[in-house]
Amino acid sequence: MRLTPAEQLTIKTYNSNAVAWAKKHSTPAYWAEEMAIFKKLLPKGKILEIGAGGGRDAQELIKLGYDYVGIDVAEKLLAEAKKLNPTATFLHQTIYDLDFSKNSFDGFWTSATLLHIPKSRIKTALGKIHTVIKSGGIGFISIKQGKGEKIEQDEPQLPGDRRRLFAYYSQDEFRKILEDNSYQVIESHIKPISERTTWLIYFVKASK
């Protein structure tokens, strides 16, 4: 599936700022509370991280004992993830072209990735994930609270072009999208971080 110009622009931004971005987003245990919940819901198994970024979450998930595979569309971010996790499996794939057999994974983790998917394509993206997750598989999703969809230039401390596509949702809006696409929402909460960022958190189960 061909990426839209907005998606291509977002990938270009990540590739051009990969080293600086990975360094800035390296806070240890950023999702400690959420990973504890995830571990309780899925004590062990093979998991797929969609949007591995600089490898921060991969490091934590591997420490928790999961059989880990990570994908990302930004090759230079994957290079940073591999530096941090040299023995882990990272693959260059888009969410639309997941190259795995059906029901390959017991769960998935996707942090701040689906917020870069155009709203017109979110159902397709969720469907692709659903295909490779086993029935009853557990997932973690974080997106940003807000309205609409737009290209923004943020992170002023990073050099060069910083434009990225952001799709924003309300908590109930995205819950309905999940439920309409065969995901049972086990738990969700709102996590304010700053004036600019409020995370919407979802723990889901794949229904088949």
Side-chain angles (χ1 to χ4, degrees):
M1 186 173 181
R2 176 171 287 185
L3 297 173
T4 66
E7 289 174 303
Q8 292 175 25
L9 175 63
T10 303
I11 295 165
K12 181 181 176 182
T13 292
Y14 279 119
N15 276 327
S16 64
N17 293 291
V19 174
W21 189 91
K23 184 177 180 180
K24 181 176 182 292
H25 295 82
S26 61
T27 308
Y30 184 86
W31 296 113
E33 177 186 346
E34 287 74 22
M35 284 196 182
I37 297 171
F38 187 75
K39 180 70 172 176
K40 186 175 180 180
L41 293 170
L42 184 67
K44 61 181 181 178
K46 185 175 183 180
I47 64 168
L48 176 66
E49 182 179 17
I50 300 126
R56 176 196 65 193
D57 292 357
Q59 188 175 51
E60 302 292 335
L61 291 164
I62 291 166
K63 284 180 183 177
L64 288 174
Y66 293 113
D67 180 6
Y68 173 93
V69 177
I71 67 160
D72 206 287
V73 293
E75 290 180 276
K76 292 191 177 180
L77 273 182
L78 282 179
E80 296 306 304
K82 288 175 183 177
K83 289 178 189 176
L84 192 62
N85 306 277
T87 63
T89 300
F90 293 104
L91 302 169
H92 181 236
Q93 295 185 20
T94 78
I95 198 169
Y96 308 116
D97 300 298
L98 298 179
D99 190 17
F100 305 103
S101 301
K102 290 183 179 180
N103 308 317
S104 293
F105 296 93
D106 300 295
F108 69 93
W109 181 274
T110 183
S111 166
T113 297
L114 298 184
L115 51 77
H116 294 313
I117 302 294
K119 287 197 168 190
S120 62
R121 291 184 159 197
I122 190 63
K123 292 183 179 181
T124 299
L126 289 170
K128 294 294 183 180
I129 298 171
H130 196 274
T131 298
V132 302
I133 304 300
K134 295 176 183 177
S135 178
I138 299 298
F140 165 84
I141 299 168
S142 68
I143 57 173
K144 285 188 175 182
Q145 184 180 60
K147 294 181 180 180
E149 175 182 313
K150 53 190 171 182
I151 292 173
E152 298 180 4
Q153 179 146 307
D154 63 352
E155 308 237 13
Q157 61 274 51
L158 298 181
D161 193 347
R162 304 180 304 278
R163 291 177 294 163
R164 295 180 292 167
L165 170 70
F166 286 92
Y168 295 99
Y169 297 89
S170 71
Q171 188 177 31
D172 289 341
E173 178 187 9
F174 199 74
R175 173 189 281 270
K176 187 175 189 308
I177 290 171
L178 288 168
E179 292 173 345
D180 287 348
N181 287 276
S182 301
Y183 293 93
Q184 175 190 346
V185 178
I186 302 170
E187 181 181 331
S188 69
H189 61 268
I190 297 174
K191 186 170 185 173
I193 297 295
S194 65
E195 183 179 337
R196 177 177 179 79
T197 299
T198 296
W199 294 115
L200 300 179
I201 308 295
Y202 301 87
F203 295 91
V204 301
K205 180 183 288 187
S207 305
K208 297 194 178 185

